[in-house]
Amino acid sequence: MADTGGRTLTGDAVERLPSGRVNGVPTERVRRAAPLGALGLGALGRVVGWLSGRFSSRHRRLAFDVAAVGVSALDVWLRVVPEAEPYNYVLSVISVAAVAWCRRFPFLVVLVTVPGFLAGWAQLAAMIALGVLARQKLLSAPTYTGAALVWLSRFFVWPPDEFVALGWKTHVHNAIYGCIVAGMPIAIGLLAHAREELSARIAELAASRERERMLHAHAVRADERARLAREMHDVVSHQVSLIAMQAGALRMAAADPDAKQVAGTIRMLSTRTLDELRQLVSVLRTTNGDDSPQPRVEDLAQLVSSAGIPATLTVRGPVSDLPAPVSGAAYRAVQEALTNVRKHAGGAPTAVLVVADADQLRVEVRNEAPVGAVDGGSVDGVTLPSGGHGLVGLRERAALLDGELEAGPTDSGGFAVKVTFPLVRTLEH
């Protein structure tokens, strides 16, 4: 089946999911499915999305740790009081250093940063640790415990004698701000988790749509195979059987030894063709989706060398990394063009040119004027049968890939087929 069929374009065009999963969905698809810009963050979302594409997840985690420690240290440095006690400095420094481990041990880091917030100046360190805890654990017992400790650190004023000396209005004011200080990181952590869940659902929906599209393509292909199998069995096999029977009768009735040999050859070829048709029909009736590998541009050298006509092949540019649908379509275009040269140009000298660049793949098959051509292109008055659908099929195949086909006679009396496939397709397609 390498020279007679192949995968459908839809099946080959389905994108493979990269490794790494989030909630059962590939992480790369998650990042593409719902960028920050889609959530209404505008230019900031686009910048963060660009940075996400430029750096790996490991680099982003490292950048988050460095930024968290830096912001926490800056918060402590701006609030340092010269007349503070040494333990205030020690607790604050410990809290800032602990932030670097908040992604691995979020609840433990919250416990470590609370003393630095209560008796020091590490407020942002405790808030960052609480936000990471809420993002990972959601509204669980550790999150409630951490929120209570952060609220208490904001409500209580160290040392205790100063707390007792404050008026009730100040206590109410500190309690309200404690709710804000403890509630804001929890809200941000829950929002980040909800965004991840939404991204995962969008990615799962996109993957489901791709699977449905692929299944539909397989169903259409199975129906087409069944229809082709019926037509080949009912029409082609019947006609070839008649040819074999007539050749057998001619072989028995002919007296000339040369005629007997020709009739025997015709019968042998007809019988072989029937066997191949039966195998092809059985393959067409198979609907399990297993196909032979589709030929690519790299196989053109073998195709041209076995074409049975004087043909040359010239390949320019990188063709080994072409998309499978484009490479297969280019091979089929050359195959059909060479078949037309054998049928209609009497095997005239032919030149095959394949040019690949960054934007497109260009395939050109040009044959010279056939020697002894009469009656509009036939050679010696002999015309092989043709349904006239070869170029139509090539045009449709090229259109599926946003390509263009040009075919027509040349000024020198030959014929040229030119097909162009774009290698960079826009999002609308």
Side-chain angles (χ1 to χ4, degrees):
M1 286 292 290
D3 294 332
T4 57
R7 300 186 184 94
T8 58
L9 297 178
T10 304
D12 287 336
V14 174
E15 176 186 8
R16 291 188 177 183
L17 303 181
S19 59
R21 308 182 74 84
V22 174
N23 296 328
V25 179
T27 55
E28 294 296 328
R29 295 293 299 273
V30 169
R31 289 194 292 269
R32 289 196 298 267
L36 291 176
L39 298 180
L41 297 184
L44 178 60
R46 289 191 293 271
V47 172
V48 175
W50 180 82
L51 292 176
S52 298
R54 298 288 293 182
F55 299 99
S56 64
S57 58
R58 180 181 178 183
H59 293 158
R60 287 193 297 273
R61 290 193 297 267
L62 180 60
F64 173 81
D65 294 340
V66 172
V69 173
V71 171
S72 301
L74 181 63
D75 177 56
V76 171
W77 180 70
L78 293 176
R79 300 176 60 190
V80 169
V81 180
E83 60 273 11
E85 298 293 335
Y87 68 86
N88 298 123
Y89 294 95
V90 173
L91 293 177
S92 298
V93 171
I94 293 176
S95 299
V96 171
V99 173
W101 303 91
C102 64
R103 287 187 299 102
R104 295 186 178 181
F105 313 103
F107 183 66
L108 179 61
V109 173
V110 171
L111 297 180
V112 173
T113 56
V114 164
F117 184 12
L118 180 63
W121 309 282
Q123 176 175 334
L124 283 183
M127 293 178 66
I128 292 174
L130 180 60
V132 175
L133 176 64
R135 180 175 178 268
Q136 296 184 7
K137 303 296 183 179
L138 301 181
L139 296 179
S140 59
T143 304
Y144 288 122
T145 304
L149 293 176
V150 172
W151 176 86
L152 180 63
S153 300
R154 179 62 179 82
F155 172 74
F156 192 83
V157 178
W158 189 268
D161 54 351
E162 294 185 7
F163 175 76
V164 174
L166 296 176
W168 67 272
K169 293 183 179 180
T170 304
H171 288 312
V172 173
H173 181 270
N174 290 339
I176 295 175
Y177 271 86
C179 294
I180 297 176
V181 170
M184 184 172 62
I186 294 179
I188 295 176
L190 295 178
L191 179 62
H193 181 80
R195 178 189 175 275
E196 290 183 356
E197 290 290 331
L198 179 60
S199 300
R201 297 297 179 268
I202 293 176
E204 185 178 359
L205 178 60
S208 176
R209 292 183 60 184
E210 292 292 345
R211 288 193 297 268
E212 292 178 0
R213 188 178 305 172
M214 191 173 183
L215 291 176
H216 176 71
H218 284 308
V220 172
R221 181 174 55 181
D223 293 340
E224 186 67 15
R225 280 178 165 180
R227 185 181 66 83
L228 289 175
R230 289 193 299 269
E231 292 183 358
M232 293 181 66
H233 181 270
D234 296 340
V235 179
V236 181
S237 297
H238 176 68
Q239 299 294 338
V240 175
S241 299
L242 291 179
I243 294 174
M245 293 175 59
Q246 295 294 333
L250 178 61
R251 181 182 180 184
M252 298 298 297
D256 188 1
D258 294 337
K260 285 181 175 291
Q261 183 180 0
V262 172
T265 302
I266 295 176
R267 180 175 176 82
M268 179 189 65
L269 294 176
S270 302
T271 304
R272 185 182 302 174
T273 303
L274 278 175
D275 292 337
E276 294 179 355
L277 282 175
R278 291 190 185 98
Q279 295 178 5
L280 182 58
V281 167
S282 64
V283 172
L284 289 175
R285 285 176 175 172
T286 302
T287 59
N288 57 5
D290 295 333
D291 296 318
S292 300
Q294 183 174 349
R296 299 175 58 88
V297 173
E298 294 90 327
D299 303 321
L300 285 178
Q302 180 180 359
L303 175 65
V304 172
S305 63
S306 61
I309 60 175
T312 60
L313 173 64
T314 303
V315 179
R316 300 174 184 171
V319 296
S320 59
D321 56 348
L322 292 174
V326 174
S327 187
Y331 180 92
R332 295 304 180 193
V334 175
Q335 185 182 45
E336 178 64 25
L338 294 179
T339 301
N340 290 338
V341 173
R342 289 195 302 267
K343 292 170 60 176
H344 306 298
T350 306
V352 180
L353 175 63
V354 179
V355 179
D357 53 30
D359 299 328
Q360 65 178 8
L361 174 68
R362 182 166 57 91
V363 179
E364 180 177 345
V365 181
R366 182 186 298 268
N367 65 274
E368 300 178 3
V371 179
V374 296
D375 298 332
S378 63
V379 181
D380 298 332
V382 179
T383 303
L384 294 178
S386 174
H389 302 294
L391 293 180
V392 175
L394 289 182
R395 194 180 304 277
E396 293 176 353
R397 184 187 292 268
L400 288 175
L401 297 172
D402 298 335
E404 296 181 357
L405 172 69
E406 298 180 5
T410 61
D411 297 337
S412 60
F415 198 85
V417 177
K418 301 178 183 179
V419 189
T420 303
F421 300 100
L423 299 180
V424 179
R425 307 180 69 182
T426 61
L427 295 178
E428 289 75 6
H429 297 91

